Amino acid sequence: MSQKPTEIEASIGQGHDSELIPVVEGYPLRSEVKTVCGSIPVELLLDHFTIPYRDALQKTGYQRRPQTARITKFASALRAERVDVPTSLLLNLRGRKTGPFLRRESGKLYLAICDLPGKLHVVDGQHRVLAFKQLHSEDKGKWGAVKLQFVLMLGADENEEMEQFYTVNTTAKSVRTDLALDLLKHQADQDGRVLEEVIQRGQKWRVDGQSIVDALNQNSPIWRRKIRLANADKAESVIPAASFVISLRPLLVGSAFFAALSQEQQVRLLNAYWQGIREAMRPPFDEDPNDYALQKGVGVAAMHDLLVAVIEHVRSAGASVFDATAYEPIVNKVFSTIEGDNVDGEPVSGQEFWLSAKRGGAAGSYSSSAGKRVLFAKLRAALPDLEVE
């Protein structure tokens, strides 16, 4: 018994064309718009695509204007053979659900690209398409035959395209920063080409910072299990790994001395510094650290920004940067000087300054970008004068 033909099969044409693209039927949309899936050579796609950019005055289209930096970055990665393109483009052929552009040859279904009644509208994937367009303009022979996977909607109107575009771009969850940094470090460790690209982009500090975080979270007397790594439960952690990595930027980028140290020495220095901080103010470390801002994002960022200058104070005094006792008196001077107003407008200082906002402290109120700049300035101003002989 022969199987009843599908709606697509019932209306396809017969024949042969040199530009037949093998396709299979996909799952229909809720609106009953049919789909087919396949892979298309770049040179054919470039002859038949259009991108429906948003015209706010005419109220047509929906796509954002392309970002040249994203196109160039992706094209560079493709050119250097650092990435693959396994994900599918989402395309649409407006106005025609079926027709002679779908053909059956020897029992297989094909899309006859030359018989399309209109352009293929790129619903999702414009930066990928435009990156290949850039590469194709450089070397047609190399890039024209590269195939890109696609899902093609048959006959959706602009409103349906817009709905799919909105769904893809608003419900897709971006990768958490801590997971992205962890993956970046892993890739850089495994592939020298990735590390080279990271260096070229001026982002090596992120990889170095993630390595430091991993080491501190495993062995630091202050930070062991206090840093929440990617996909880990909160447990007894106080600060996300991404926040800690970002807090290290002033040291890895702004301190030539710190950046020149080996990773082992950087970890030793940070351990000594935080042990000195603990001796200067015990309560945030002896009590529940969640009651204080000192070991949270704003506090860690402030203390690492301060460390750039503190290192020079330690070195000018002839002390070792790996000695915790060298940091305690400097930090103690800062802690005894710093003060600010809490959310109730009451002045607080000392350990009360570092209490969380709900506990009546002030440090937590500096969490915005502008607030952090003010806090950093307050801490630097509280440092003793640098003595140079």
Side-chain angles (χ1 to χ4, degrees):
M1 180 180 294
S2 61
Q3 187 176 10
K4 182 179 179 180
T6 66
E7 181 180 338
I8 289 179
E9 290 176 319
S11 59
I12 62 176
Q14 298 291 327
H16 177 75
D17 191 277
S18 61
E19 295 179 343
L20 295 181
I21 298 173
V23 293
V24 296
E25 288 189 61
Y27 198 76
L29 305 182
R30 290 178 294 106
S31 60
E32 299 184 355
V33 168
K34 305 297 181 180
T35 65
V36 294
C37 310
S39 57
I40 183 172
V42 166
E43 61 183 357
L44 291 182
L45 176 62
L46 296 181
D47 287 339
H48 295 277
F49 86 97
T50 186
I51 300 173
Y53 293 118
R54 179 64 174 169
D55 186 328
L57 294 177
Q58 299 297 324
K59 304 300 181 186
T60 59
Y62 50 87
Q63 289 276 12
R64 298 159 291 189
R65 286 290 170 183
Q67 298 176 0
T68 303
R70 284 185 62 186
I71 296 170
T72 302
K73 178 181 176 182
F74 189 50
S76 297
L78 288 166
R79 193 183 296 110
E81 300 182 353
R82 289 195 295 266
V83 296
D84 297 300
V85 191
T87 53
S88 296
L89 305 171
L90 179 58
L91 311 173
N92 180 46
L93 180 62
R94 291 184 183 176
R96 297 293 295 275
K97 298 180 183 298
T98 56
F101 52 87
L102 285 172
R103 299 183 181 182
R104 183 163 295 282
E105 294 280 346
S106 302
K108 296 182 180 180
L109 191 62
Y110 294 89
L111 177 70
I113 194 75
C114 65
D115 290 336
L116 292 179
K119 293 288 188 179
L120 297 174
H121 287 70
V122 179
V123 181
D124 182 62
Q126 66 154 316
H127 286 93
R128 279 168 280 169
V129 173
L130 295 176
F132 276 101
K133 181 179 180 181
Q134 182 181 115
L135 294 171
H136 185 260
S137 69
E138 299 171 2
D139 189 340
K140 294 180 174 60
K142 178 177 181 179
W143 298 102
V146 173
K147 292 184 177 181
L148 299 179
Q149 298 180 80
F150 67 87
V151 174
L152 174 62
M153 300 185 292
L154 297 171
D157 59 21
E158 185 177 63
N159 287 333
E160 179 73 27
E161 287 180 22
M162 197 177 302
E163 179 181 343
Q164 296 304 320
F165 173 82
Y166 180 82
T167 299
V168 169
N169 287 278
T170 58
T171 62
K173 179 68 174 176
S174 59
V175 178
R176 283 177 55 97
T177 305
D178 54 3
L179 178 57
L181 289 172
D182 188 40
L183 294 176
L184 179 63
K185 175 185 176 296
H186 180 83
Q187 288 180 294
D189 289 344
Q190 300 296 318
D191 190 338
R193 295 175 302 172
V194 174
L195 180 59
E196 181 181 348
E197 181 183 8
V198 168
I199 294 173
Q200 291 175 349
R201 289 161 46 199
Q203 298 296 302
K204 187 174 182 294
W205 68 269
R206 294 180 181 272
V207 176
D208 295 339
Q210 185 66 44
S211 298
I212 291 171
V213 162
D214 289 344
L216 289 172
N217 199 57
Q218 291 178 23
N219 303 309
S220 171
I222 301 294
W223 290 108
R224 187 168 182 266
R225 293 196 298 268
K226 291 293 190 295
I227 304 172
R228 188 160 62 257
L229 302 180
N231 287 340
D233 294 331
K234 188 176 188 305
E236 59 187 283
S237 66
V238 182
I239 181 173
S243 295
F244 204 105
V245 170
I246 293 171
S247 77
L248 293 171
R249 189 179 189 279
L251 291 162
L252 292 167
V253 176
S255 172
F257 175 82
F258 187 87
L261 298 176
S262 67
Q263 180 189 311
E264 180 183 358
Q265 291 173 321
Q266 290 171 340
V267 172
R268 283 181 59 201
L269 189 155
L270 286 167
N271 272 325
Y273 178 54
W274 279 97
Q275 289 179 70
I277 292 173
R278 181 177 62 182
E279 292 308 309
M281 187 177 291
R282 296 289 315 194
F285 300 89
D286 294 342
E287 301 171 10
D288 185 350
N290 288 297
D291 287 340
Y292 294 84
L294 187 58
Q295 288 179 273
K296 295 184 179 179
V298 63
V300 173
M303 297 311 296
H304 286 164
D305 179 82
L306 184 69
L307 179 54
V308 175
V310 170
I311 287 173
E312 299 308 317
H313 280 75
V314 172
R315 296 177 68 199
S316 70
S320 170
V321 294
F322 306 117
D323 182 1
T325 62
Y327 295 102
E328 189 274 334
I330 301 173
V331 175
N332 187 59
K333 172 70 164 57
V334 173
F335 283 167
S336 64
T337 304
I338 189 75
E339 63 178 25
D341 294 339
N342 62 19
V343 293
D344 297 322
E346 301 169 339
V348 288
S349 60
Q351 71 183 56
E352 285 75 23
F353 176 88
W354 293 101
L355 283 169
S356 64
K358 66 180 181 180
R359 294 289 306 277
S365 63
Y366 295 94
S367 58
S368 68
S369 296
K372 286 178 181 177
R373 289 194 294 270
V374 173
L375 178 58
F376 295 173
K378 279 177 172 283
L379 291 172
R380 293 190 207 106
L383 278 173
D385 293 335
L386 185 63
E387 296 182 5
V388 180
E389 296 182 0

